[in-house]
Amino acid sequence: MGGVWFIQITALAFLLLAMTSAVRSCPPQDRANLLAFKSALHEPYFGIFDSWTGADCCHNWHGISCDLDTRRVADINLRGESEEPIYEKANRTGYMTGYISPAICKLARLSSITIADWKGISGEIPRCISSLPFLRILDLVGNKISGTIPPEIGRLHRLTVLNIADNLISGAIPASLTNLTSLMHLDLRNNRISGHIPRSIGRLRMMSRALLSGNRLSGRIPGSISRIYRLADLDLSRNQISGPIPPSLGKMAVLATLNLDMNKISGQIPVTLLGSAISDLNLSRNSLEGNIPNAFGARSYFTALDLSYNNLKGPIPKSITLASYIGHLDLSHNHLCGQIPVGSPFDHLEASSFVYNDCLCGKPLKSC
């Protein structure tokens, strides 16, 4: 009798263990959708997907994390450039081809998607990605993804990071993007994005970095950008942006980096920029004209100030010697005239900072 009881207890224990294991495993549907996602990709060097075996995709599947309570897949983190031993041992970065399968959209509890720096992944961003209600991070940097930004991207109300830099994305910035009121980091650099910056971009009040350089954007800089009070880094360089610089940019409380170089910007340099919180200001290679404002003061602190390759005229303003610091200064390739001021910051600058002007003179150029 005791033996029968022992067998029954043992069987019950195994059954409970099996049931517990099943509960703690990822749902079969999540596993199936991950395998469908994997089937659209090819990674020939490291065997990134070799660990994607067994029933539990929450346990030891490379790059996959699950919610501890629901066991639903919460994060996909696949990076082609990493400090992991597998990369260091091979002394190379990753390479992956294929495309991002729409099966990823069936992982309804996804919080973050990072499929970055694989260099060979092509195809488009699945439009259905906009239907993932819990998505906070979408990072697809460093691939060959083409097509457009999904027009319904604005439905991702929890999104804090959108990074699709260094791809082949084209088309316009969707108007709905300005609905992403939780967005903190926007990186669209080095794509083929065209059209205007949305006029209502100022709605993105939480954003601290807006990096849009190296595209084909045109039109004016929307004045509403200055309403993004957390914005510290704005890079619109290497586009086809025209019109004047909104003076309100110089009144932003924490804006530290403003890169507008290599555009078609015209008009005069706003006085507000020279006594602002901006420490890295690059306005080079535009069509700015008029005098450099005589508006430097104790609040003027520039690690770099580049006004080269414009149509600026007149003298270098005397107030520039009142700036608390100027590390790098480039005024070359303009129409400036007169004597270069004496003293800081000019005592450490080389002639290349002043060449190709109409009639500048004084150290480090020829004597007046």
Side-chain angles (χ1 to χ4, degrees):
M1 186 70 178
V4 174
W5 176 251
F6 176 78
I7 293 172
Q8 289 177 336
I9 290 293
T10 303
L12 181 60
F14 274 116
L15 179 61
L16 288 173
L17 182 64
M19 290 175 64
T20 302
S21 178
V23 168
R24 301 304 296 165
S25 298
C26 71
Q29 195 58 43
D30 275 13
R31 179 181 180 276
N33 289 321
L34 281 175
L35 293 177
F37 161 77
K38 168 193 167 184
S39 69
L41 297 168
H42 176 61
E43 190 282 300
Y45 297 111
F46 296 122
I48 292 297
F49 295 120
D50 288 353
S51 63
W52 287 30
T53 59
D56 187 5
C57 58
C58 296
H59 184 64
N60 289 337
W61 281 39
H62 180 87
I64 301 301
S65 301
C66 296
D67 182 89
L68 293 176
D69 295 324
T70 66
R71 306 303 289 173
R72 299 294 305 274
V73 174
D75 305 294
I76 296 176
N77 185 9
L78 299 172
R79 291 190 178 276
E81 295 181 5
S82 171
E83 296 181 358
E84 292 184 30
I86 188 174
Y87 296 94
E88 292 183 356
K89 186 176 180 181
N91 196 29
R92 63 165 295 151
T93 58
Y95 182 77
M96 192 185 296
T97 56
Y99 64 95
I100 300 173
S101 168
I104 202 172
C105 305
K106 296 179 181 179
L107 298 166
R109 300 291 301 191
L110 275 176
S111 175
S112 70
I113 298 173
T114 299
I115 306 168
D117 298 313
W118 291 104
K119 305 172 186 67
I121 295 177
S122 56
E124 300 187 3
I125 302 171
R127 286 186 61 163
C128 59
I129 222 160
S130 300
S131 66
L132 292 170
F134 300 98
L135 196 64
R136 295 180 182 274
I137 296 172
L138 180 59
D139 185 352
L140 305 177
V141 63
N143 291 294
K144 290 184 178 178
I145 297 169
S146 58
T148 61
I149 301 171
E152 302 88 5
I153 192 83
R155 294 169 58 186
L156 299 173
H157 296 298
R158 287 182 169 88
L159 201 68
T160 60
V161 174
L162 175 59
N163 186 354
I164 55 173
D166 301 321
N167 278 287
L168 304 172
I169 306 293
S170 58
I173 298 173
S176 75
L177 186 136
T178 63
N179 294 332
L180 300 175
T181 52
S182 297
L183 195 67
M184 298 179 184
H185 179 99
L186 175 64
D187 194 345
L188 309 180
R189 288 177 293 179
N190 303 322
N191 279 287
R192 299 172 179 177
I193 299 169
S194 57
H196 294 186
I197 300 170
R199 291 179 62 184
S200 57
I201 194 170
R203 296 177 62 196
L204 305 178
R205 298 295 180 89
M206 301 296 289
M207 190 160 60
S208 62
R209 303 189 79 200
L211 311 177
L212 284 72
S213 63
N215 281 288
R216 300 170 183 177
L217 295 168
S218 58
R220 298 188 169 211
I221 301 171
S224 71
I225 285 179
S226 61
R227 295 203 293 269
I228 309 174
Y229 62 90
R230 294 172 180 261
L231 191 63
D233 189 352
L234 177 60
D235 189 351
L236 305 179
S237 62
R238 296 181 293 118
N239 279 288
Q240 298 167 22
I241 294 168
S242 58
I245 301 171
S248 55
L249 294 183
K251 299 178 181 179
M252 297 177 68
V254 297
L255 186 63
T257 300
L258 178 60
N259 291 333
L260 303 179
D261 49 299
M262 298 183 70
N263 278 288
K264 299 178 180 179
I265 296 169
S266 57
Q268 300 191 1
I269 298 173
V271 173
T272 53
L273 295 184
L274 301 183
S276 66
I278 299 169
S279 59
D280 188 344
L281 178 62
N282 192 341
L283 307 180
S284 67
R285 298 178 187 272
N286 280 289
S287 299
L288 294 167
E289 54 192 16
N291 292 4
I292 301 173
N294 191 28
F296 293 87
R299 288 194 62 201
S300 306
Y301 185 102
F302 292 100
T303 55
L305 175 60
D306 193 342
L307 308 179
S308 63
Y309 290 91
N310 278 289
N311 297 316
L312 300 171
K313 61 180 183 179
I316 299 173
K318 287 186 171 57
S319 66
I320 199 168
T321 60
L322 302 176
S324 60
Y325 179 75
I326 298 181
H328 170 77
L329 176 69
D330 193 346
L331 304 177
S332 66
H333 295 86
N334 278 288
H335 299 290
L336 301 174
C337 199
Q339 185 169 359
I340 298 171
V342 178
S344 178
F346 301 96
D347 48 10
H348 74 271
L349 297 174
E350 299 182 358
S352 57
S353 295
F354 307 101
V355 295
Y356 297 103
N357 276 286
D358 288 0
C359 47
L360 281 180
C361 60
K363 190 177 179 180
L365 299 181
K366 64 181 180 180
S367 299
C368 294

